[in-house]
Amino acid sequence: GAAEVLEFLAGLPGPQEILDLNLSEHFVRRVEQLLEKNRSAKLDCHEEAEWENYQFLEHLVRTAKSQACLKLGLKPGRNA
């Protein structure tokens, strides 16, 4: 989940390692659960906080992947 992504980024991976980063099935499944619940009902305060954390984490990963692309001379967005 979020902790494993943060630990990965804290380990100062190289640009290619960042581009190769994929989220775990558990992480993806939890995000999908929150999205589905938000469509059909309202998230409770804990779920809302969890969702906000996932959004922030996604922003961090996208930023890291964009920077990795630049370091490798690639166009951001194509490999990110």
Side-chain angles (χ1 to χ4, degrees), residues 1 3 5 7 10 15 19 22 25 27 29 32-33 35 37 39 46 48 54-55 57-58 61 67 70 72 74 79-80:
V5 173
E7 287 174 20
L19 292 179
N22 291 309
E25 286 185 39
F27 186 91
R29 204 167 39 250
E32 289 172 353
Q33 288 171 346
L35 282 171
K37 182 172 183 187
R39 285 186 198 110
H46 298 291
E48 186 67 37
Y54 286 147
Q55 286 182 309
L57 188 60
E58 178 188 17
V61 170
Q67 291 298 314
L70 292 174
L72 293 174
L74 303 172
N79 296 48

Side-chain angles (χ1 to χ4, degrees), residues 12-67:
L12 303 175
Q16 190 60 54
E17 291 173 292
I18 292 171
L19 292 179
D20 292 341
L21 173 65
N22 291 309
L23 300 174
S24 70
E25 286 185 39
H26 171 75
F27 186 91
V28 172
R29 204 167 39 250
R30 182 59 183 151
V31 168
E32 289 172 353
Q33 288 171 346
L34 290 171
L35 282 171
E36 184 59 36
K37 182 172 183 187
N38 193 42
R39 285 186 198 110
S40 62
K42 185 167 173 52
L43 299 177
D44 65 32
C45 63
H46 298 291
E47 291 166 330
E48 186 67 37
E50 184 181 6
W51 175 247
E52 289 175 10
N53 285 335
Y54 286 147
Q55 286 182 309
F56 178 71
L57 188 60
E58 178 188 17
H59 173 73
L60 286 178
V61 170
R62 284 180 186 245
T63 300
K65 287 191 175 208
S66 291
Q67 291 298 314

